[in-house]
Amino acid sequence: MPPRDPQDDAPVLRFLEYLEAERNASPRTVEAYARSLAQFRVWMQGRFTAWVQCTAADFRGWLYEALEQELKPATIRLRFASLRSFYTYLMRREGLAVNPLESVTLPKASQRLPIHLSLRQMEQLLSLPLQLPADKKSPAWLPYRDAAILELFYACGMRLSELVSLNADALRDGDDCVRVLGKGRKVRLVPVGEYAREAVARYREMAGVTGSEPLFISRLGRRMSGRSVELMLDKYLRVSDIPFHISPHKLRHTFATHLLDAGADLRAVQELLGHTSLSTTQIYTHVTKARMKEVYLQAHPRADWGEEE
C-alpha cells in the first residue's frame, strides 16, 4: 500500500483507490502519486485546510521552490502530473467547481535524445556473460541466466519491471512471442528472435524453472529484483569497451533505435514498446535523423552545412 497522506486525507485515499481499481495504475504509479500529494501537504504545513481551498498561488509557490532547489525537470513534472490528475478526479467525482492548477504553467521539458548502444557495442555486451571466467561459487546456470536476460532485453525492448515480472510460461518452447504485462496491466505479445529464444531455453533447462515460477531467479531461487538486474548489467559494463554507463532502460532505447535504423515502421515500434501515444515513440526518429546527418557530414565531400540556427 502506498504511503498515506500525513493526516489520512479521505479524498486522497479515495483517489488512490480510484487509480488502482478503475485506472489499473501500477503500484509504482500509485506510490509516486501518493508521495507527491503528501509532499505538497508537508510543504503547506499549517496553511493547509482542505484541498478545495488550495489556490493557484499555493501551487506556484511550490513550483518556484522546486525550481530554486534545481530539482530535475522530470521530478517537477511528475509532482504536478500527480496534482493535475488528483484535481481532475476531484472535479469529475467530488464536485469541485474550479481547478486551481489550470493557470499554473510548468517550464517546458527539455527533450533529450535517448542514449543507446551501437550495434558493435550491443554485440559485445551480449557475448560477455558466456566469455568471462565462471565463478566457481555460483550456480552453473547463472551466466546463462545473464545471457538470456540481455538477449531478451535486446530482442523485445521490454521495460525492466516487465522483464523481472515474467514467469517461465510467458515464453514456452516453440513460442515465437513473449506475453508481456505492461503499464496499466495491459498484456501485449512481442516477437522474440531465435538468439533470445535459444538463450532463454538453455537457461530454463539448466536452472529448472518451469510453469508459473519466476523466469529469472537469484542464486537463492527467488524472483530477481530490478536492482539485481541493474547490478548484473553494471558488472558486464565494467569489463566492456563501452565508454559510458547505461541502465537497463537504455537497452530498450537501443532496441527501438536499431529497429528504426533498419527501416521499421514507427507504428510497429510503438506497439512493440507498449507506448500508448505515438508521440512517445517519435523521440527515436530524432535519434536516427541525427545519426543520418552525422554520417552525411562525415562522408559527403560537400557537406559543410555551417552553424545551425
Side-chain angles (χ1 to χ4, degrees):
M1 182 70 184
R4 292 195 171 192
D5 190 90
Q7 297 183 23
D8 201 22
D9 195 310
V12 170
L13 293 178
R14 289 195 294 270
F15 169 63
L16 299 179
E17 290 172 358
Y18 157 79
L19 288 178
E20 290 180 322
E22 298 187 37
R23 295 293 299 275
N24 285 327
S26 70
R28 188 173 179 179
T29 297
V30 175
E31 182 179 351
Y33 277 31
R35 186 182 301 110
S36 295
L37 294 169
Q39 286 170 342
F40 178 75
R41 283 285 298 269
V42 170
W43 179 79
M44 285 286 287
Q45 297 180 349
R47 293 175 292 138
F48 185 92
T49 55
W51 288 103
V52 296
Q53 299 297 326
C54 293
T55 66
D58 294 327
F59 295 115
R60 289 195 190 99
W62 200 38
L63 172 61
Y64 293 153
E65 183 171 301
L67 293 173
E68 288 177 354
Q69 293 174 350
E70 297 183 350
L71 295 183
K72 293 181 180 179
T75 301
I76 296 174
R77 299 189 80 82
L78 175 59
R79 283 185 173 185
F80 279 84
S82 308
L83 287 165
R84 291 186 193 282
S85 182
F86 177 52
Y87 272 91
T88 299
Y89 163 82
L90 291 179
M91 293 187 73
R92 291 177 178 174
R93 296 295 182 91
E94 306 213 0
L96 181 67
V98 178
N99 186 343
L101 286 160
E102 286 183 353
S103 60
V104 178
T105 304
L106 298 183
K108 289 185 177 180
S110 58
Q111 193 177 52
R112 296 182 180 179
L113 296 181
I115 297 172
H116 63 281
L117 300 180
S118 68
L119 181 57
R120 185 194 65 79
Q121 289 169 337
M122 191 69 233
E123 288 177 340
Q124 183 195 31
L125 183 61
L126 292 172
S127 68
L128 284 174
L130 301 183
Q131 284 185 350
L132 297 180
D135 183 351
K136 295 180 180 179
K137 296 180 181 179
S138 299
W141 49 259
L142 195 139
Y144 294 88
R145 180 205 67 186
D146 294 352
I149 288 175
L150 295 176
E151 288 283 2
L152 206 55
F153 262 134
Y154 184 51
C156 303
M158 281 185 281
R159 300 176 179 92
L160 176 59
S161 59
E162 294 170 345
L163 183 129
V164 297
S165 68
L166 290 175
N167 291 332
D169 56 7
L171 181 62
R172 294 169 296 196
D173 292 341
D175 286 354
D176 56 6
C177 288
V178 61
R179 295 184 303 283
V180 179
L181 182 62
K183 286 188 174 181
R185 299 176 188 173
K186 294 180 180 178
V187 177
R188 68 183 189 278
L189 291 177
V190 182
V192 184
E194 181 180 356
Y195 287 98
R197 289 202 308 271
E198 290 181 353
V200 171
R202 185 165 57 245
Y203 153 69
R204 283 182 55 196
E205 182 178 358
M206 294 184 69
V209 293
T210 59
S212 59
E213 297 175 2
L215 176 56
F216 295 116
I217 58 174
S218 68
R219 302 175 190 219
L220 300 177
R222 299 170 184 158
R223 184 184 298 275
M224 285 187 77
S225 66
R227 182 58 182 156
S228 296
V229 175
E230 290 172 344
L231 293 173
M232 178 271 290
L233 177 58
D234 288 347
K235 178 180 74 173
Y236 295 116
L237 288 173
R238 284 195 295 270
V239 296
S240 75
D241 295 331
I242 299 168
F244 49 85
H245 180 266
I246 64 165
S247 64
H249 201 71
K250 299 301 186 292
L251 300 181
R252 178 170 161 87
H253 293 331
T254 301
F255 162 83
T257 303
H258 288 184
L259 282 177
L260 289 168
D261 277 346
D265 177 72
L266 189 63
R267 289 278 183 186
V269 175
Q270 175 193 1
E271 292 293 327
L272 292 171
L273 291 172
H275 285 162
T276 303
S277 170
L278 186 63
S279 62
T280 309
T281 316
Q282 284 175 330
I283 182 65
Y284 298 107
T285 64
H286 298 299
V287 177
T288 56
K289 287 177 183 176
R291 179 178 297 174
M292 186 165 50
K293 179 178 175 180
E294 181 182 349
V295 170
Y296 181 91
L297 287 171
Q298 291 176 352
H300 199 285
R302 299 174 69 86
D304 184 8
W305 291 354
E307 293 292 328
E308 285 193 347
E309 297 181 358

